[in-house]
C-alpha cells in the first residue's frame, strides 16, 4: 500500500473509533441523566465518569458530573470538575455557574462573584446568575460584620452573621468553625461541640475544629481532655496560635488550681487564698473554672474569718454559673455565720428547689428556724452571753445587767433615759426568767415564741425577779421599796 493509502486508512479508523467512543460516551451520559432525574446521584456519578473516560475533552460531561457531585455535597470535587469544564470551553455558561456555586458553597464569595459575572457576560439576562451575585454580595457583607463583631466580642452577632452566611455557603468549614468558637464563648457548649464534630466527621485533620472541641472541654472544666485536643490541633496545624495559647492557659490554670487545693488541705489558708487569686487572672473567659475558683477562695475566706469577702466571692461564683450549688451552699453558711438569716433562707431555698435532698431540706429548715428565732427577742444578747452559756454564766450575766439597768441607778437622769433603762431592766428580767428555767430555755432554743406561750410576758414584774434573785432584804445586803407616789418605774434602791 502507498503511504497516502495507509494514512487514509488510519484516519478513517481513528474517525470511526472517535465516532464509536462518542456514541458510547453519549450513551453513558444519557444513563447518567436518567439516574440523576431519579436522584440516584451515586449511579449518575458512575455513568458520567464512564462518559468522561471515553471522551475526556467534553466540557458538558464534566459539567454534569460537577452537578452530581454538588448534590452529593462533594463541593471541592465539584469545583474541580466545573473548572475543568470551563477550561475546555470558556463559553460553557453552566460550567461557570456551577463553578460559582461551588465557590460560594465553600465560602469563597469573591471568586463566586467573578464566575457569576462571567455568566452575565455570556447571558446578560440570566436571572439565576443575577440572584447568585446578590447572594455572594450578602455573604461578603456578613463576613465583614462578623469580623467586626468578633473584634468587639459581640459573639451573638457573629453567630447571627454566620448563620445567615451559611444559608448560601453551606459547605464552608471556616464559617462553621467561627460559629462554633463563638457558641463556645457564649457558653453554648453542646451546640459548639455538635458543629465541630460535624466538621471532623468530614475532615478529621481540621485543626480549627479540633481547637473548638478542646475549647468546649476547657470551658467545661475538663482540662486534661481539652489539652489533648489542643495538642492534636497543633499537630495538624503547628502555627495555630489560638490552640497554643489555650493549651498554655489550660496547663497553667490546672497547675495553679491544684497548688491552691494542696495548700488548703495542708491548712495553709493564706497561701491557698493567694494561689486561687493568681489562678483567677489566667483566663477571664473560662467561666466554669473561674466560678469554682471564686467558690474555693470563698471557702478559704470563711476559714480566715473574712466572711464578707467570702460572701462576695460566692456571689461572683453564682453570677458566673447560676447552677453552681456548692457556691450557694457556701454563701448560705456564711450568711448563717453572720446571722443574716433572710439571705441564708433564700440561698437554701434555691438549693432545695434545684436538688431536693434530705440534707438540703434539713439545712433549709434549720435556716428557717433560725430566721424565726431571730424575729423574737434575743435573750442571749439581752444578757450578753453565748448561746452555750452555763447556768452560772447566765446568773452572773443577770446580776451584772440587772444592776446596770435598775431604775434607781438612773433616778437623776432625764425622763427619756429613765424610760429606756426601765425597758432594758424588764428585758433583762424576761431573759433571766426564760434562760434560768431548763424547760423554758429548751422551748426557747427550739424556736418557740415565749410571749405566745405565757400570754404576755411584758406584764410580769421585773422587781419581783430582782428581789427573788438578790434576796429582797433578807440577808443579801439590799432593801427594795417601790415609791407608789412617784409613778411607774421609780424605785427606792438602798445598799445595806
Amino acid at each position: 500500500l502507498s503511504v497516502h493509502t495507509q494514512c487514509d486508512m488510519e484516519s478513517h479508523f481513528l474517525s470511526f473509533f472517535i465516532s464509536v467512543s462518542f456514541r458510547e460516551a453519549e450513551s453513558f451520559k444519557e444513563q447518567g441523566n436518567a439516574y440523576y432525574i431519579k436522584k440516584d446521584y451515586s449511579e449518575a456519578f458512575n455513568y458520567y465518569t464512564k462518559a468522561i473516560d471515553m471522551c475526556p475533552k467534553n466540557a458538558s460531561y464534566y459539567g454534569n458530573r460537577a452537578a452530581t457531585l454538588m448534590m452529593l455535597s462533594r463541593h471541592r470535587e465539584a469545583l474541580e470538575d466545573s473548572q475543568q469544564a470551563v477550561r475546555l470551553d470558556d463559553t460553557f455558561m453552566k460550567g461557570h455557574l456551577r463553578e460559582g456555586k461551588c465557590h460560594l458553597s465553600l465560602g469563597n464569595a469573591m471568586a463566586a462573584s467573578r464566575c457569576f459575572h462571567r455568566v452575565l457576560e455570556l447571558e446578560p439576562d440570566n436571572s439565576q446568575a443575577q440572584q447568585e451575585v446578590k447572594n455572594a454580595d450578602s455573604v461578603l457583607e456578613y463576613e465583614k460584620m462578623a469580623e467586626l463583631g468578633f473584634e468587639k466580642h459581640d459573639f451573638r452577632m457573629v453567630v447571627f452573621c454566620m448563620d445567615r452566611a451559611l444559608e448560601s455557603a453551606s459547605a464552608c468549614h471556616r464559617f462553621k468553625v467561627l460559629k462554633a468558637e463563638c457558641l463556645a464563648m457564649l457558653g453554648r457548649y453542646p451546640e459548639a461541640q455538635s458543629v465541630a464534630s460535624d466538621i471532623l466527621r468530614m475532615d478529621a485533620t481540621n485543626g480549627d475544629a479540633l481547637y473548638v472541641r478542646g475549647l468546649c472541654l476547657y470551658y467545661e472544666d475538663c482540662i486534661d481532655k481539652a489539652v489533648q485536643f489542643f495538642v492534636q490541633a497543633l499537630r495538624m496545624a503547628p502555627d495555630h496560635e489560638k490552640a497554643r495559647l489555650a493549651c498554655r492557659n489550660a496547663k497553667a490554670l490546672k497547675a495553679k488550681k491544684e497548688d491552691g487545693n494542696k495548700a488548703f488541705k495542708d491548712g495553709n489558708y493564706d497561701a491557698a487564698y493567694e494561689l486561687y487569686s493568681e489562678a483567677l487572672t489566667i483566663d477571664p473567659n473560662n467561666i466554669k473554672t473561674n466560678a469554682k475558683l471564686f467558690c474555693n477562695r470563698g471557702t478559704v475566706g470563711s476559714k480566715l474569718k473574712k466572711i464578707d469577702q467570702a460572701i462576695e466571692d460566692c456571689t461572683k461564683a453564682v453570677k458566673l454559673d447560676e447552677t453552681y450549688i456548692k457556691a450557694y451552699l457556701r454563701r448560705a453558711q456564711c450568711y448563717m455565720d453572720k446571722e443574716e438569716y433572710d439571705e441564708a433562707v433564700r440561698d437554701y431555698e434555691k438549693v432545695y428547689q434545684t436538688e431536693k435532698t434530705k440534707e438540703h431540706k434539713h439545712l433549709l429548715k434549720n435556716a428557717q428556724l433560725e430566721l424565726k428565732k431571730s424575729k423574737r427577742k434575743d435573750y442571749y444578747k439581752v444578757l450578753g452571753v453565748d448561746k452555750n452559756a452555763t447556768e452560772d454564766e447566765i446568773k452572773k450575766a443577770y446580776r451584772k445587767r440587772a444592776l446596770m439597768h435598775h431604775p434607781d441607778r438612773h433616778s437623776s437622769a432625764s425622763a427619756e433615759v429613765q424610760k429606756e433603762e426601765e425597758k432594758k431592766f424588764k428585758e433583762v428580767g424576761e431573759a433571766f426568767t426564760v434562760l434560768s428555767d431548763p424547760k423554758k430555755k429548751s422551748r426557747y432554743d427550739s424556736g418557740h415564741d415565749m410571749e405566745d406561750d405565757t400570754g404576755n410576758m411584758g406584764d410580769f414584774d421585773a422587781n419581783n425577779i430582782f428581789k427573788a434573785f438578790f434576796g429582797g432584804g433578807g440577808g443579801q445586803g439590799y432593801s427594795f421599796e417601790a415609791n407608789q407616789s412617784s409613778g411607774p418605774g421609780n424605785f427606792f434602791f438602798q445598799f445595806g
Side-chain angles (χ1 to χ4, degrees):
L1 297 172
S2 68
V3 174
H4 289 294
T5 304
Q6 189 175 352
C7 288
D8 287 341
M9 289 178 64
E10 289 177 0
S11 178
H12 285 301
F13 178 76
L14 184 59
S15 297
F16 175 75
F17 177 76
I18 292 173
S19 177
V20 170
S21 297
F22 179 72
R23 284 199 300 272
E24 195 169 353
E26 281 292 299
S27 174
F28 288 142
K29 185 192 80 170
E30 292 302 325
Q31 291 178 75
N33 290 346
Y35 281 114
Y36 187 93
I37 292 168
K38 294 177 183 177
K39 298 184 180 180
D40 188 345
Y41 302 117
S42 294
E43 277 301 306
F45 171 81
N46 291 334
Y47 278 99
Y48 290 140
T49 300
K50 289 179 181 179
I52 289 171
D53 290 341
M54 296 301 297
C55 290
K57 300 295 184 181
N58 189 300
S60 67
Y61 297 166
Y62 285 100
N64 286 5
R65 191 169 72 172
T68 304
L69 287 165
M70 289 169 70
M71 299 307 295
L72 291 169
S73 297
R74 292 159 62 178
H75 294 90
R76 293 197 180 279
E77 295 169 79
L79 177 61
E80 292 174 7
D81 271 0
S82 58
Q83 287 175 329
Q84 178 61 15
V86 298
R87 274 195 293 268
L88 292 169
D89 181 0
D90 187 50
T91 64
F92 184 30
M93 186 268 294
K94 286 185 178 179
H96 287 293
L97 193 60
R98 285 168 187 158
E99 181 187 357
K101 285 186 174 182
C102 288
H103 278 306
L104 191 56
S105 292
L106 293 167
N108 191 345
M110 290 186 71
S113 187
R114 286 194 295 270
C115 294
F116 299 138
H117 279 104
R118 175 58 180 151
V119 174
L120 292 172
E121 288 174 11
L122 296 170
E123 191 178 304
D125 296 328
N126 189 300
S127 59
Q128 189 175 2
Q130 290 171 350
Q131 181 57 51
E132 293 294 354
V133 167
K134 292 178 182 178
N135 292 343
D137 289 343
S138 294
V139 169
L140 285 170
E141 187 61 30
Y142 284 127
E143 274 194 86
K144 290 177 184 176
M145 290 171 61
E147 187 178 343
L148 288 172
F150 196 87
E151 287 176 4
K152 294 178 181 178
H153 289 192
D154 188 351
F155 302 120
R156 285 185 177 82
M157 172 59 75
V158 179
V159 171
F160 171 80
C161 290
M162 289 300 94
D163 279 338
R164 300 290 81 75
L166 284 164
E167 290 174 2
S168 297
S170 59
C172 182
H173 288 177
R174 182 165 50 89
F175 291 172
K176 289 179 180 179
V177 165
L178 181 56
K179 175 185 174 180
E181 183 178 357
C182 290
L183 286 170
M185 300 300 285
L186 290 168
R188 293 160 62 178
Y189 306 120
E191 294 173 74
Q193 289 270 31
S194 177
V195 175
S197 296
D198 286 344
I199 296 170
L200 290 170
R201 272 193 289 272
M202 293 180 280
D203 179 9
T205 65
N206 189 297
D208 290 328
L210 290 167
Y211 159 71
V212 171
R213 283 291 306 276
L215 194 66
C216 291
L217 291 166
Y218 171 57
Y219 284 156
E220 290 183 293
D221 200 35
C222 301
I223 304 294
D224 290 331
K225 287 183 179 179
V227 169
Q228 291 175 12
F229 274 98
F230 294 144
V231 169
Q232 195 175 351
L234 287 167
R235 280 202 205 101
M236 301 302 168
D239 296 328
H240 203 298
E241 282 304 316
K242 286 184 178 180
R244 191 181 307 282
L245 177 62
C247 191
R248 185 164 64 242
N249 283 346
K251 290 178 178 179
L253 202 53
K254 181 187 177 187
K256 196 69 72 174
K257 183 181 175 186
E258 288 178 349
D259 288 345
N261 292 347
K262 185 178 185 304
F264 179 81
K265 287 178 182 176
D266 293 343
N268 192 348
Y269 301 130
D270 287 317
Y273 192 92
E274 287 304 315
L275 286 163
Y276 289 138
S277 297
E278 290 170 16
L280 281 164
T281 66
I282 292 172
D283 185 359
N285 292 320
N286 195 322
I287 292 171
K288 277 206 170 182
T289 302
N290 287 343
K292 291 181 181 180
L293 288 169
F294 274 121
C295 185
N296 287 0
R297 194 172 74 173
T299 302
V300 175
S302 67
K303 292 286 186 182
L304 293 169
K305 306 303 180 186
K306 299 178 180 178
I307 304 300
D308 288 333
Q309 181 63 51
I311 289 172
E312 185 179 336
D313 278 343
C314 291
T315 299
K316 289 177 180 177
V318 298
K319 280 184 178 178
L320 291 175
D321 183 0
E322 292 182 354
T323 66
Y324 193 16
I325 296 298
K326 189 176 178 182
Y328 284 108
L329 290 170
R330 170 56 55 196
R331 187 172 69 175
Q333 184 56 56
C334 289
Y335 282 135
M336 293 290 286
D337 293 341
K338 287 193 70 179
E339 299 184 1
E340 295 179 7
Y341 300 118
D342 282 310
E343 289 79 3
V345 167
R346 275 196 290 272
D347 276 351
Y348 283 132
E349 284 176 341
K350 172 74 173 179
V351 170
Y352 186 63
Q353 287 168 5
T354 306
E355 291 183 2
K356 289 182 168 59
T357 67
K358 288 183 179 179
E359 181 187 359
H360 295 160
K361 185 177 183 180
H362 171 73
L363 290 169
L364 174 58
K365 282 194 169 183
N366 183 57
Q368 289 170 332
L369 174 61
E370 291 301 324
L371 176 60
K372 179 182 177 184
K373 287 160 66 174
S374 71
K375 303 294 183 185
R376 312 164 305 167
K377 289 178 183 176
D378 189 335
Y379 290 143
Y380 291 102
K381 278 188 177 178
V382 169
L383 292 182
V385 295
D386 184 80
K387 292 181 179 179
N388 297 315
T390 64
E391 185 178 346
D392 284 343
E393 288 171 336
I394 290 170
K395 285 181 178 179
K396 287 178 182 178
Y398 172 70
R399 177 189 295 273
K400 178 181 176 181
R401 295 294 173 113
L403 291 173
M404 182 187 303
H405 298 298
H406 195 285
D408 279 3
R409 279 283 176 88
H410 307 280
S411 58
S412 61
S414 66
E416 186 178 349
V417 171
Q418 287 185 28
K419 187 176 181 181
E420 183 64 26
E421 291 300 325
E422 182 181 351
K423 178 184 175 184
K424 290 180 180 178
F425 180 68
K426 288 181 69 175
E427 286 179 348
V428 168
E430 283 181 32
F432 182 69
T433 299
V434 172
L435 298 183
S436 62
D437 184 316
K439 288 185 179 179
K440 289 180 180 179
K441 182 176 184 295
S442 176
R443 288 177 65 76
Y444 176 78
D445 288 342
S446 298
H448 289 279
D449 192 326
M450 304 309 294
E451 291 193 9
D452 290 344
D453 287 355
T454 59
N456 189 356
M457 287 193 68
D459 290 339
F460 86 104
D461 191 339
N463 285 302
N464 289 338
I465 303 297
F466 189 85
K467 289 177 181 180
F469 185 85
F470 286 102
Q476 293 297 323
Y478 302 94
S479 61
F480 304 88
E481 291 181 14
N483 186 344
Q484 300 295 328
S485 63
S486 301
N490 291 326
F491 293 82
F492 175 71
F493 179 45
Q494 179 181 346
F495 288 89

